[in-house]
Amino acid sequence: MISLTVNDRPVTVAAEPDTPLLWVLREHLGLTGTKYGCGVAACGACTVHLDGAAVRACALPASEAAGRAVTTIEGLPGGAQNPLVRAWVAVEAPQCGYCQTGQIMQAATLLARTPQPSRAEILAHMDGNLCRCASYNQIVEAIQQAARGA
């Protein structure tokens, strides 16, 4: 049994300690906003927050999240009214949309640490979150718009 807090809710799941956090979230808890992309922490589709830091849930054993706070896209403050989510929609960042939850979760950690990031800071922070549709310019624009509070 693994006990952790997911989206501000304490949960206990019956999972092997080496089960990737991604599968605990998706299969045990039904939180399917976090996506499976590569399985080796290389694409960022599975990005969630662990104690406020962006991590790749596909490669993180659930046992490492025990006793800690996990936030998924479903628990992002404000939900659809979150400034990042609103900006994503406004600039039409999603193409296929598959990577977007991971992109938003990665961007949220940047804005929490650096409320007014430069373009260079955005690019550096988002490096490693891949978008196969190549909507990178829209992603940067959405982050800039969210930072402006527009």
Side-chain angles (χ1 to χ4, degrees):
M1 300 296 276
I2 299 170
S3 296
L4 59 155
T5 300
V6 178
N7 298 334
D8 296 323
R9 184 176 60 109
V11 297
T12 300
V13 295
E16 294 296 321
D18 62 346
T19 302
L21 178 60
L22 172 67
W23 301 120
V24 167
L25 296 171
R26 291 182 60 82
E27 301 296 325
H28 294 264
L29 300 176
L31 298 170
T32 57
T34 305
K35 305 300 183 200
Y36 173 80
C38 65
V40 295
C43 75
C46 66
T47 303
V48 298
H49 298 168
L50 183 63
D51 294 334
V55 298
R56 305 301 195 246
C58 73
L60 183 76
S63 60
E64 289 189 32
R68 300 174 74 185
V70 176
T71 304
T72 68
I73 192 74
E74 292 92 344
L76 194 64
Q81 296 307 310
N82 181 282
L84 273 168
V85 174
R86 291 171 49 98
W88 238 256
V89 172
V91 304
E92 299 178 357
Q95 297 296 310
C96 80
Y98 198 82
C99 72
Q100 297 306 306
T101 59
Q103 299 275 0
I104 290 169
M105 295 304 286
Q106 183 75 20
T109 62
L110 171 63
L111 293 180
R113 185 185 75 221
T114 309
Q116 297 293 318
S118 67
R119 180 176 178 80
E121 289 171 315
I122 293 170
L123 294 174
H125 188 80
M126 298 302 292
D127 187 38
N129 278 73
L130 304 180
C131 176
R132 293 177 188 199
C133 300
S135 63
Y136 296 112
N137 288 328
Q138 293 93 329
I139 290 167
V140 171
E141 183 181 347
I143 295 168
Q144 291 171 325
Q145 183 171 318
R148 287 191 306 269

